[in-house]
Amino acid sequence: MSSLLLMAPALLLLLAVFVWPLLDYAWLSLQAQSVFTGLETVPVGAANWQRLLADGRFWQDAGQTLRFALVSVALELVAGLAIALLLHQRWRGRGTVRSLALLPWALPTTVMALGWRWIFNDPHGPLNGVVQSLGLATVPFLASPDLAWVATVVADVWKTTPFVALLLLAGLQMIPADLYEAFALEGGTPWQGLRRITLPLLRPYIFIAALFRLAQALGVFDLIAVLTGGGPASSTESLAVYAYLNAMRFLDFGYSATVMLGMFLLLLLGAAALLLWRRQAEVGA
Amino acid sequence: MSRRLTAIALGLLLALAMGLLSWVWARPATVVRVLMPAPFADATADLVATFNRAHRDVRIAVTRGPFETDAVSDLAISSLLLGDSPYDLLLMDVTWTAKYAAAGWLEPLDPWLGPEALEPLVTGARAGNRIDGRLYRLPLVADMGLLYWRTDLMAAPPRTPDELVAIARALQQQGKVRWGYVWQGRQYEGLSCVFVELISGFGGQWGPGEAGVGLASPAAARAAGWLQQLVNEGISPRAVANFAEPEALQSFEAGEAAFMRNWPYAWQELQRPGSAVAGRVGITTMVAEPGAAPAATQGSWGFSLLSGSPHPETAVTVLRALTGEASQRRLVSRYGYTPTLQHLFDDPELVAERPQLPQLRQALDQAVLRPLNPGYAQLSDILQRQLSALISGRGEAATAMARAGRESDLLLRASGQEVGR
């Protein structure tokens, strides 16, 4: 009983900031509340949910959000691991480089997105400057539905790789050095050391980094809003951008809540899959 | 003794007078809070200061909002949703009026301004302020789409879409310009603005009441197809699919393009030192097919009174002062904004300073309004998605426009509105 009492403040806080808004959204998703109802709430049963299931744009955006999240997080893990391994070695100037490597992460997203919008500019941006100096035709990075999403991934990888690198670096420092010494005495090569010692022991950190980053990437909003505004042809639009459009532009709060909840349910599924995968990986190990 | 009494009496009197005076001075003035986008807050700063000096009982407090239209709307809506708006007046884009009125956020202005409030205004500033017969907004500045052309490259501007393409292509082949025509093709409101004047120029109309809100029509398909053709044939750069106003201006200002679609503000930017085309730019209305009238998309910013303002009458006094003739003269001559009062367009003094005023007036007389509908933002979004796909090389114009028409009809039906045949 006393344990419950001690936990009460934390539980109340969770209820207030997490459960209550969620319930509020669930209720709102069963109402029509939009500019067409004069912002009055009118109960409409499952109408919003039926619309969601049939809404091609929701599913298109869900696919695009998933593609963005998976590709960028995968790239960030690979690049982050490489950087972490590098920064873990002892070399001159490491301290300076360690702080410099964090810079992209410290930059506000809107600022860096504006920067990338300029870098990708066709034809005046620096990237197209390089393309032109190679004698090639400029590339409309942000104006082509096939390229624009790649551009969003590149910007995201640039921005958040330092975060992954930092988490993994912390993990590397937890691995005792004598493990490697013993391994070297037994005649193991550094490459084998990476595969047999580093990666297995780093797994929990990789998992945490992936979980954090996936949760963030699936809710991506600011980067896309500034870099492409969701275009061209909505090819970079994420679910968060769509929910925002419904609420703040179309003043359709009932449907916006439904989109947000739909996104939340998809996230939940994703997290469950990840946890399951991890449990299986542990059993297998 | 009596002298001492007199001194005391005098002292008391003085103290009383000073107290009275300070009470009068310090009597709290009614504060009228106004939210404006940053450029307008800056342009009206001295007008506001003058007003505050002249009125002791009223004080205007301007909140300098963000630069971008959408960001200002987000800020206003976030505060309005909380119920008790911190503002009395809001400077609004023309496309917000129907939505804000339907949401119940605006107070009709008729009781104060009377039925003839819009009479002194130029044609292209009158529409879009009245909804269901009630006046919800009084415009401060007019705005409309214009076709900018290079006076050094051609004798007269093109009047039809075909002429524009022919002139542009010839100039590109001669190597005089890199691009023929730059405009706003990014997936945002600017793209709808490009389209609404073009569909008129192709003999159509975008708006509820038409079948497929006018998009399931040959005119819509031809207008959209023309935009697609511009990109496909290299008259416009592929990058136009991510162009907003600044990108188009940048390209035209660098002398890269023969034509540009933009708003009146671009005129001043193009005349600045450092502009490659200063003194070599003309303005006219958008091209139209033979037989169809050229059209200019109507923009404009205007003040609305927010419901829940604790002192609406004082707020309207401020609204009158800020939109009045003295204020407009200053905005025109000092900042190059387009006035809304009809007689200012022929004012010799102003025309001497701003020789483009008569041409702006002509364009305003051809102004077309974007659909005045509470669901406008969503109608516009549906259109933008299809247009953006076409411009970035996906799909076929007639099919895309028919789909946009169907989606628009669905939306209007779901909201309980009548849909055209």
Side-chain angles (χ1 to χ4, degrees):
Chain A
M1 190 59 211
S2 74
S3 63
L4 205 64
L5 210 67
L6 287 172
M7 275 165 63
L11 283 176
L12 277 177
L13 196 70
L14 264 181
L15 275 175
V17 303
F18 191 68
V19 179
W20 182 73
L22 208 61
L23 289 177
D24 192 46
Y25 264 43
W27 175 81
L28 195 56
S29 77
L30 301 175
Q31 319 287 321
Q33 190 200 14
S34 76
V35 69
F36 295 120
T37 67
L39 298 191
E40 303 292 323
T41 47
V42 182
V44 288
N48 281 326
W49 287 98
Q50 280 167 348
R51 180 175 159 198
L52 187 83
L53 290 177
D55 185 357
R57 186 159 175 187
F58 174 83
W59 296 106
Q60 180 195 330
D61 288 357
Q64 282 164 191
T65 311
L66 194 67
R67 177 179 67 179
F68 169 83
L70 289 180
V71 175
S72 54
V73 172
L75 290 174
E76 283 155 20
L77 286 176
V78 174
L81 182 64
I83 292 173
L85 286 171
L86 199 67
L87 292 181
H88 190 52
Q89 307 301 313
R90 281 180 199 290
W91 40 281
R92 204 185 243 284
R94 181 178 69 165
T96 323
V97 175
R98 270 189 187 175
S99 5
L100 278 180
L102 261 178
L103 260 183
W105 175 249
L107 219 56
T109 308
T110 41
V111 174
M112 78 95 185
L114 274 176
W116 279 100
R117 193 167 154 187
W118 171 242
I119 291 172
F120 286 126
N121 182 301
D122 173 24
H124 301 287
L127 201 56
N128 267 313
V130 175
V131 171
Q132 274 173 306
S133 70
L134 295 175
L136 302 169
T138 61
V139 185
F141 292 106
L142 297 178
S144 147
D146 301 317
L147 290 178
W149 79 272
V150 180
T152 60
V153 166
V154 169
D156 190 65
V157 169
W158 182 82
K159 157 110 179 136
T160 45
T161 298
F163 171 76
V164 176
L166 200 70
L167 271 184
L168 298 186
L169 183 60
L172 285 176
Q173 285 171 346
M174 299 304 289
I175 301 175
D178 39 358
L179 273 182
Y180 292 101
E181 282 163 24
F183 191 74
L185 280 178
E186 300 285 336
T189 63
W191 175 246
Q192 284 171 329
L194 178 70
R195 285 190 48 207
R196 300 270 167 83
I197 305 174
T198 313
L199 285 183
L201 287 177
L202 210 53
R203 191 182 278 157
Y205 295 89
I206 296 177
F207 176 76
I208 287 290
L211 197 68
F212 274 168
R213 282 299 307 133
L214 274 176
Q216 277 180 334
L218 289 169
V220 65
F221 175 79
D222 41 5
L223 169 70
I224 299 213
V226 176
L227 192 59
T228 62
S234 299
S235 61
T236 58
E237 191 171 275
S238 68
L239 282 175
V241 171
Y242 188 41
Y244 159 82
L245 280 180
N246 273 293
M248 297 302 282
R249 287 277 183 288
F250 311 156
L251 293 187
D252 191 343
F253 298 101
Y255 193 58
S256 179
T258 316
V259 171
M260 289 299 272
L261 270 185
M263 179 176 147
F264 174 73
L265 290 179
L266 291 180
L267 253 169
L268 222 56
L269 271 177
L274 209 62
L275 281 169
L276 212 68
W277 167 75
R278 191 191 170 201
R279 186 157 304 163
Q280 258 164 6
E282 268 169 4
V283 170
Chain B
M1 187 66 186
S2 76
R3 200 186 274 172
R4 215 164 140 198
L5 257 177
T6 323
I8 289 176
L10 264 176
L12 274 174
L13 253 169
L14 199 71
L16 199 72
M18 277 176 69
L20 203 73
L21 212 66
S22 69
W23 180 76
V24 168
W25 276 103
R27 197 178 48 176
T30 312
V31 180
V32 174
R33 294 173 203 282
V34 190
L35 174 63
M36 302 188 204
F40 289 101
D42 296 341
T44 54
D46 49 347
L47 290 166
V48 167
T50 312
F51 182 96
N52 283 344
R53 269 197 302 276
H55 297 74
R56 204 188 297 153
D57 50 340
V58 184
R59 200 171 66 79
I60 309 177
V62 173
T63 301
R64 190 172 180 274
F67 272 88
E68 284 196 13
T69 306
D70 285 343
V72 180
S73 158
D74 287 354
L75 179 64
I77 289 178
S78 316
S79 68
L80 287 164
L81 282 173
L82 295 175
D84 224 5
S85 165
Y87 312 110
D88 301 285
L89 295 176
L90 176 62
L91 190 59
M92 303 216 307
D93 182 65
V94 64
T95 59
W96 303 352
T97 322
K99 178 165 77 178
Y100 281 48
W105 291 333
L106 305 184
E107 199 64 36
L109 293 166
D110 315 70
W112 289 284
L113 301 182
E116 269 144 33
L118 298 175
E119 290 301 309
L121 304 189
V122 68
T123 321
R126 282 186 208 169
N129 301 303
R130 241 182 240 291
I131 287 148
D132 298 330
R134 289 201 193 135
L135 183 66
Y136 281 109
R137 174 178 175 274
L138 197 67
L140 170 72
V141 296
D143 218 358
M144 61 283 165
L146 296 168
L147 181 65
Y148 286 76
W149 57 285
R150 291 274 299 275
T151 51
D152 56 330
L153 296 180
M154 63 203 86
R159 293 316 324 146
T160 67
D162 289 345
E163 277 175 31
L164 187 147
V165 168
I167 298 177
R169 189 177 286 137
L171 288 170
Q172 281 177 285
Q173 277 163 1
Q174 291 160 26
K176 293 200 172 145
V177 285
R178 180 162 183 192
W179 305 114
Y181 178 33
V182 289
W183 37 285
Q184 293 85 45
R186 187 175 161 95
Q187 188 180 347
Y188 80 125
E189 185 55 30
L191 182 53
S192 297
C193 293
V194 166
F195 187 76
V196 72
E197 58 200 13
L198 207 56
I199 186 175
S200 286
F202 278 83
Q205 192 193 343
W206 177 37
E210 311 273 324
V213 295
L215 296 179
S217 68
R222 290 223 309 287
W226 190 64
L227 289 176
Q228 193 179 29
Q229 176 203 345
L230 288 175
V231 178
N232 284 347
E233 297 184 359
I235 305 287
S236 301
R238 278 169 306 168
V240 89
N242 199 41
F243 270 21
E245 284 88 354
E247 285 87 359
L249 182 64
Q250 184 188 32
S251 179
F252 191 74
E253 191 178 353
E256 278 185 348
F259 303 105
M260 169 179 70
R261 190 268 178 207
N262 217 318
W263 307 90
Y265 85 94
W267 176 269
Q268 262 194 311
E269 305 284 320
L270 293 170
Q271 307 303 337
R272 277 189 321 199
S275 156
V277 295
R280 293 188 279 158
V281 177
I283 49 178
T284 180
T285 42
M286 186 48 59
V287 291
E289 290 211 312
T297 301
Q298 183 186 329
S300 94
W301 287 86
F303 285 109
S304 287
L305 174 63
L306 296 176
S307 44
S309 163
H311 30 65
E313 188 145 10
T314 321
V316 172
T317 314
V318 169
L319 181 151
R320 271 210 191 94
L322 289 179
T323 55
E325 172 164 351
S327 159
Q328 292 209 5
R329 278 183 177 277
R330 190 155 183 82
L331 288 176
V332 175
S333 73
R334 180 136 182 212
Y335 298 97
Y337 282 108
T338 312
T340 59
L341 290 168
Q342 190 154 345
H343 71 275
L344 291 183
F345 286 87
D346 315 316
D347 186 277
E349 224 173 281
L350 283 183
V351 174
E353 277 180 67
R354 304 275 168 200
Q356 72 272 31
L357 275 179
Q359 274 160 310
L360 295 181
R361 163 80 192 270
Q362 263 176 19
L364 271 173
D365 285 342
Q366 310 278 0
V368 283
L369 196 64
R370 286 161 275 172
L372 200 60
N373 191 291
Y376 172 72
Q378 211 162 348
L379 290 175
S380 176
D381 182 76
I382 289 170
L383 175 67
Q384 289 163 30
R385 258 165 77 83
Q386 297 301 332
L387 285 176
S388 175
L390 290 174
I391 294 161
S392 48
R394 291 188 172 176
E396 186 270 322
T399 325
M401 287 299 104
R403 187 179 306 135
R406 272 200 309 278
E407 287 179 14
S408 307
D409 278 355
L410 271 178
L411 168 73
L412 292 178
R413 258 194 217 108
S415 70
Q417 296 186 55
E418 296 270 328
V419 168
R421 298 143 289 123

